[in-house]
Amino acid sequence: MEAKEEEEAKAMQRGQADIWKYMFSFVDSMALRCAVELCIADIIHSHGGPITLSQIVSNIPDSTSPDINCLARIMRLLVRRNIFTAQHDQSDGGETLYGLTHSSKWILHDSDLTLAPMFVLETHPWLMSPWHCFSQCVKEGGIAFKKAHGREIWDFGSRNSEFNKLFNDGMECISRILMRTIVSEYKDGFNHVGSLVDVGGGTGATISEIVKSYPHIKGINFDLPHVTVTAPSYPGVSHVGGDMFQGVPSGDALFLKLIMHDWSDEDCVKILKNCKKAIPEKGGKIIVVEVVLEAQGDELLDEIGLAFDLHMIAHSSGGKERTEMEWKRILNEGGFPSYKIIKIPTLLSIIEAYPQ
């Protein structure tokens, strides 16, 4: 009996530790946001190797009266989380030298492959506040973002230029990362496409990467007017403003990356029906790049898929991540009864679907 009671006590202690861990899990995000805002990884990178806290502080932009002790405590946690390295330097007065890891290389602002803008976006108070509305959503339904801000995210962005830029910067950095993988892994998929419409393509970074690798493609970037009006010019790409619920520009194929998960099943079916009208009945296709949820999966990024699903509750207008069976159902209802899933080495998969 004593052994059983002892095991129960240990289990309760582990349970308490878990709750404490989840209670303060936001601390990791906020500490890392601080490092991103202060460009700490960039400062270390610019020196070509590990440096001291004093060297870091002296290079922080617009730093008037820096608190080096505060930074030391933040860095101590980030070292524990393997964001940075720390080593004692015997040759430099015994100071600790801080260096980069494979993780902190992903928050370099000047890198082509950076998650820094996305991290700043996702941890901004505008996007954090809807998470506090989850219990309301459970009790009374509704959209978390609208509960927090009085309007849905797309309407909010159209009225707030600062948020619109923050959002577009975050989406562009994700596009660059994903497109490098997609272009290399989906080679045959673009070979026979003459014109490609990127539905919900933001400011055009995604379609420009495709056209750059496949210059025979006529690229059309399609998004809401307040988004395309700020879009830069790209060779081989034209920008078209509009509403995908009203209609989609015609093309040989349509590209939808991280679009469908923003919407409910009913809305997705509406989008798909408009997509079907925009492509040839024979030879046309849509290329959907999304999470295919594996609720019990044990791959490296499967748990992130579950987190993305809750992210949709927080920020979308009724969207969600979907399993293959859920994708099959909405594709069929939208007029695309035939499809295949192509796994690529990212969180996302490519779903190629055809109208017949």
Side-chain angles (χ1 to χ4, degrees):
M1 183 63 73
E2 287 184 6
K4 187 176 181 180
E5 289 177 352
E6 183 177 348
E7 183 59 35
E8 175 66 15
K10 288 181 178 179
M12 287 297 291
Q13 189 175 31
R14 287 193 296 270
Q16 181 188 169
D18 281 343
I19 299 302
W20 280 109
K21 179 177 72 174
Y22 300 135
M23 187 188 308
F24 288 110
S25 59
F26 72 92
V27 173
D28 292 348
S29 297
M30 293 301 101
L32 185 51
R33 180 183 173 90
C34 172
V36 172
E37 289 180 324
L38 297 179
C39 301
I40 290 174
D42 298 87
I43 292 169
I44 296 171
H45 181 69
S46 68
H47 278 71
I51 57 176
T52 66
L53 280 179
S54 299
Q55 289 174 301
I56 293 173
V57 165
S58 66
N59 285 277
I60 293 175
D62 305 317
S63 182
T64 54
S65 53
D67 186 335
I68 196 168
N69 181 58
C70 179
L71 179 59
R73 292 157 67 184
I74 292 168
M75 292 295 285
R76 178 170 58 190
L77 176 68
L78 293 177
V79 167
R80 181 67 177 262
R81 297 292 182 259
N82 296 315
I83 304 298
F84 297 102
T85 62
Q87 60 190 62
H88 204 59
D89 183 24
Q90 301 294 338
S91 64
D92 192 17
E95 287 193 75
T96 300
L97 299 176
Y98 295 90
L100 301 179
T101 67
H102 286 98
S103 295
S104 47
K105 289 176 183 177
W106 284 97
I107 57 170
L108 291 167
H109 288 79
D110 293 332
S111 171
D112 284 340
L113 301 180
T114 178
L115 283 168
M118 190 64 172
F119 199 94
V120 171
L121 170 66
E122 292 298 338
T123 56
H124 192 284
W126 280 327
L127 288 190
M128 292 299 293
S129 56
W131 291 88
H132 293 271
C133 300
F134 272 27
S135 57
Q136 280 181 267
C137 290
V138 171
K139 289 191 291 186
E140 61 193 33
I143 296 170
F145 196 93
K146 188 173 183 179
K147 290 179 185 295
H149 297 294
R151 53 177 58 95
E152 295 181 34
I153 189 167
W154 313 115
D155 187 25
F156 187 82
S158 69
R159 298 165 183 258
N160 186 321
S161 59
E162 184 182 350
F163 176 79
N164 189 45
K165 184 179 186 311
L166 196 69
F167 186 88
N168 288 338
D169 288 348
M171 293 303 104
E172 283 182 19
C173 86
I174 288 294
S175 289
R176 282 193 294 271
I177 293 168
L178 291 176
M179 289 315 300
R180 179 165 294 192
T181 301
I182 290 169
V183 167
S184 64
E185 296 287 330
Y186 187 59
K187 294 178 181 177
D188 294 337
F190 295 118
N191 281 338
H192 304 294
V193 174
S195 57
L196 181 67
V197 182
D198 188 0
V199 180
T203 55
T206 293
I207 190 70
S208 72
E209 287 298 314
I210 297 173
V211 171
K212 191 185 302 181
S213 298
Y214 299 87
H216 70 276
I217 292 178
K218 174 188 175 184
I220 300 168
N221 178 57
F222 177 65
D223 211 310
L224 294 168
H226 78 267
V227 177
T228 56
V229 74
T230 65
S233 176
Y234 294 105
V237 175
S238 59
H239 299 289
V240 177
D243 184 343
M244 62 187 173
F245 288 102
Q246 302 300 318
V248 175
S250 297
D252 296 330
L254 308 183
F255 190 77
L256 299 94
K257 176 176 60 63
L258 293 175
I259 299 301
M260 308 288 277
H261 73 167
D262 286 325
W263 303 98
S264 67
D265 289 351
E266 294 75 19
D267 283 335
C268 283
V269 170
K270 292 177 186 176
I271 295 168
L272 287 168
K273 287 181 176 179
N274 284 335
C275 288
K276 184 180 179 181
K277 296 174 185 175
I279 60 173
E281 188 68 25
K282 292 184 178 180
K285 66 179 176 180
I286 60 171
I287 305 159
V288 178
V289 182
E290 292 277 3
V291 171
V292 177
L293 204 59
E294 297 281 355
Q296 304 300 323
D298 57 3
E299 296 294 327
L300 185 63
L301 294 172
D302 283 338
E303 283 196 14
I304 307 300
L306 297 177
F308 258 54
D309 188 39
L310 297 192
H311 174 270
M312 292 301 100
I313 297 176
H315 299 153
S316 73
S317 302
K320 62 180 181 179
E321 304 302 347
R322 296 174 172 88
T323 63
E324 181 176 350
M325 291 307 297
E326 290 172 316
W327 279 116
K328 181 178 181 179
R329 183 173 63 80
I330 64 169
L331 285 168
N332 188 61
E333 290 182 18
F336 294 88
S338 179
Y339 73 93
K340 66 179 179 180
I341 294 176
I342 303 165
K343 296 286 187 180
I344 55 176
T346 71
L347 171 66
L348 309 177
S349 295
I350 296 172
I351 305 171
E352 196 175 80
Y354 325 97
Q356 59 178 359

